[in-house]
Amino acid sequence: MNFNYSERMQGIKASEIRELLKLTEQPDIISFAGGLPAPELFPLDHIKEIAYNVIQDQGKSALQYSATEGYPLLREIICEQRIKGNLDNPSPKNILITSGSQQALEFSGKLFINKGDVIICESPSYLGAINAFKAYQPTFVEVPMDEDGIVIEKLEEVLIKYPNAKFIYTIPDYQNPTGITLSVERRKKMVELAEKYNIPIIEDSPYGELALEGSVNPSIKSFDKNGYVIQLGTFSKTFCPGFRIGWIYAHEDVLQKYIMIKQGADLQCSTIDQRIVAHYMEKHSLDDHINKIIEVYKKRRNTMIDSMIKYFPKEIKFTHSKGGLFTWVELKENMNSADILREALEEKVAFVPGASFFPNGGKHNYFRLNYSNMPEDKIIIGIERLGNVLKKYY
Amino acid sequence: MNFNYSERMQGIKASEIRELLKLTEQPDIISFAGGLPAPELFPLDHIKEIAYNVIQDQGKSALQYSATEGYPLLREIICEQRIKGNLDNPSPKNILITSGSQQALEFSGKLFINKGDVIICESPSYLGAINAFKAYQPTFVEVPMDEDGIVIEKLEEVLIKYPNAKFIYTIPDYQNPTGITLSVERRKKMVELAEKYNIPIIEDSPYGELALEGSVNPSIKSFDKNGYVIQLGTFSKTFCPGFRIGWIYAHEDVLQKYIMIKQGADLQCSTIDQRIVAHYMEKHSLDDHINKIIEVYKKRRNTMIDSMIKYFPKEIKFTHSKGGLFTWVELKENMNSADILREALEEKVAFVPGASFFPNGGKHNYFRLNYSNMPEDKIIIGIERLGNVLKKYY
């Protein structure tokens, strides 16, 4: 048995890092690795009542096959509650329910990328998106970022150089992995560039509702009058990731293509999970719940930043994210964060080395820290231990 | 806005039939179109208790991210309860949980097919599989069937003619759309051919547990000592499709590749749904539930067959399926079942025209009837109406 797999499988490889990170499942590990929300905040009492009632009152339809597009009430409530102040007046017809944002990323690869096509992303970018796109064998062109997000002049240079580029992929709000937020001015500019160069923007915004200070900037999509922005949303960070419910918000013509892809890919998302999420939002305030999350994450972020200031060598730079789940650490250029991870794991601390966030590789002196999934006491201990590992190199 | 989509999107088209079948959602339509199980049989009382308890007792993990491979207990119970008597002693390491079998089909396309590659299937074959594979731009080679399933001599001719064919796709048990079952002898032969020509068999078996008379034949996988068979299973027909829980059962080396694809595609299936299905099977007998389904479907199938004998023109041939959900109707060669559908819809009766089940097109004189989703009184009325439409042509 030695099967002849497709060529694309060469780009889909088991990650050495993933194997290392399996160790983080041990209970005694202090893990800053995943992008996991805090499960102690899940509103279990409300969810269990709603699950029970949905099955009791509408079980015959809630456990049956249903429309590929998604549960109509859920699509409505997403428009009413989660998407606000947009120029194109979104309706449920602009919404497709997906299995988390990850599936929307995979579909975007399928929709746009032929082998060898250029796609444009931030440098660094989300590793799950990079993996999803890689299956379609694109050429990644990375555009540098500064503290206001992707550098627009550099983006336009790339658009001029690669007129056939298929899309711009961006995470504008509290970016994964850097925590950086794109400025309002650049958001407007990005839509202008999309129109000028006739290229779609895939705006991935899983963290936009998690502003830990001030308020989030208006979405890129909110400036889009003419359907150039495809926005991806999810309940994984604001509610519960276990439901695997996200959505694509796009111009109806574009959405039709995503719907056809969804039909071939898995027919539809879980009928029952869609209904639980919709009825939760109908009966309770998700905004109130998000405010509770923000309160907790804010403390955790502050604790992490304070601990990094206290325990990390002074020369180490890191981002002070204003929202979301992550901070991003830069080591000396000759250092490799994968080696640091091996040492840190011996001290029972985990994080994600930065190299996987650069689609074209080559940068080993960064790593990502998550603060949403650990209580404050463990954050202090973990950062102290990590500081001790790092001090050996400074 | 006029985006440059990927080439593969040319194969992913909105189906005219799908638009027609949207009409079947009207409550006054008697629909023999879908492959929907009977929702009045869903064990709602048990499921609502289990859902409530899972959220109450294990909510923090049941609503969190979880392993791509699937919930360990679910993988174990699938091995213990749903896969029996196989030569390769399956363990949970051979099981990946997928979003229904549809996702396993999509992944199989991704894993094996380069543009232009030959894949081999029965003629006719399942239209959802055809659509999933089409996204990867294969060349379909159809092999004829008789009343014992795919004709093995013809299959071997094809394997000789196309030595680089990527896989054989088959639905051996109560096939969709024909209802035909592959004989035991041919199952053994098929494994021999797979070994001889070093080609994987994708054995799609959503209906194997729904034997309406006698018992189902041993699976193709049960004869596979050396990992040539990739078997797809699902709870969509034996439990509830709304959970979107299926599985791939394959040699560990092959399964690893599917797991990597799953990770990029949507990270994992719904954590909560996997747990509900697992704990249902832990606490209650799914076999007993399946026996109840069989009792009801048997009556419905008998009613449909009896009505067809009574109301259809005598010249019309159709299959007498021994299990599953479908019967397959053959009209005169010059007839087009899509035209018949239009007339039938005026009489408030729906079915699926057969052309979509032939990947290379060209055969318009067939259609598929489903008997699992309609009560007996409606089956009688619907078949009588359909008979009246058909009589105009005979």
Side-chain angles (χ1 to χ4, degrees), chain A residues 8 63 106 110 242 270 273, chain B residues 8 63 106 110 242 270 273:
Chain A
R8 76 181 62 81
L63 298 171
E106 141 70 22
K110 198 166 193 173
S270 161
D273 291 3
Chain B
R8 75 182 64 79
L63 297 171
E106 141 71 22
K110 199 167 193 172
S270 163
D273 291 2

Side-chain angles (χ1 to χ4, degrees), chain A residues 340-361:
Chain A
I340 303 293
L341 175 61
R342 279 183 199 90
E343 289 186 50
L345 284 172
E346 282 174 26
E347 307 298 324
K348 306 283 183 192
V349 179
F351 57 79
V352 181
S356 329
F357 297 93
F358 297 96
N360 298 313

Side-chain angles (χ1 to χ4, degrees), chain B residues 31-228:
Chain B
S31 177
F32 306 130
L36 279 67
E40 62 273 26
L41 302 177
F42 295 161
L44 298 183
D45 286 338
H46 289 158
I47 296 172
K48 77 181 180 198
E49 297 292 343
I50 286 169
Y52 189 91
N53 291 333
V54 163
I55 298 169
Q56 178 168 270
D57 302 339
Q58 37 176 299
K60 285 185 200 171
S61 39
L63 297 171
Q64 182 60 285
Y65 286 112
S66 60
T68 301
E69 292 84 339
Y71 183 45
L73 179 67
L74 180 59
R75 298 164 78 203
E76 259 172 54
I77 294 182
I78 287 171
C79 286
E80 281 165 20
Q81 295 190 11
R82 314 267 53 95
I83 300 168
K84 290 156 196 161
N86 284 13
L87 287 176
D88 68 348
N89 294 316
S91 90
K93 284 185 182 169
N94 299 110
I95 306 292
L96 166 66
I97 305 300
T98 58
S99 183
S101 285
Q102 186 66 33
Q103 186 173 56
L105 294 167
E106 141 71 22
F107 288 178
S108 299
K110 199 167 193 172
L111 178 57
F112 287 108
I113 304 171
N114 294 319
K115 185 183 166 185
D117 279 350
V118 165
I119 59 173
I120 301 168
C121 66
E122 289 145 356
S123 181
S125 184
Y126 169 51
L127 73 88
I130 294 168
N131 285 341
F133 299 151
K134 266 194 180 164
Y136 297 98
Q137 302 169 280
T139 301
F140 289 88
V141 174
E142 301 174 44
V143 179
M145 301 170 77
D146 61 22
E147 70 255 29
D148 284 328
I150 198 167
V151 179
I152 288 290
E153 294 69 30
K154 297 282 179 191
L155 175 61
E156 186 157 16
E157 282 172 25
V158 167
L159 289 169
I160 292 167
K161 189 166 173 192
Y162 302 101
N164 296 318
K166 284 305 185 72
F167 58 74
I168 302 164
Y169 171 67
T170 177
I171 309 138
D173 308 319
Y174 321 120
Q175 198 227 23
N176 183 354
T178 62
I180 290 172
T181 289
L182 189 67
S183 70
V184 176
E185 205 41 54
R186 290 189 187 180
R187 289 171 194 239
K188 288 182 191 163
K189 275 264 163 64
M190 208 188 251
V191 174
E192 286 168 25
L193 289 181
E195 297 211 11
K196 182 170 173 189
Y197 295 97
N198 188 39
I199 185 170
I201 296 168
I202 297 173
E203 178 184 29
D204 187 8
S205 186
Y207 318 108
E209 300 193 78
L210 296 176
L212 303 185
E213 45 193 76
S215 59
V216 73
N217 289 338
S219 68
I220 303 176
K221 182 70 180 159
S222 73
F223 299 111
D224 174 36
K225 269 185 270 205
N226 299 311
Y228 283 85

Side-chain angles (χ1 to χ4, degrees), chain A residues 83 141 179 215 269 273 351 366:
Chain A
I83 299 168
V141 175
S215 59
C269 286
D273 291 3
F351 57 79
Y366 294 88

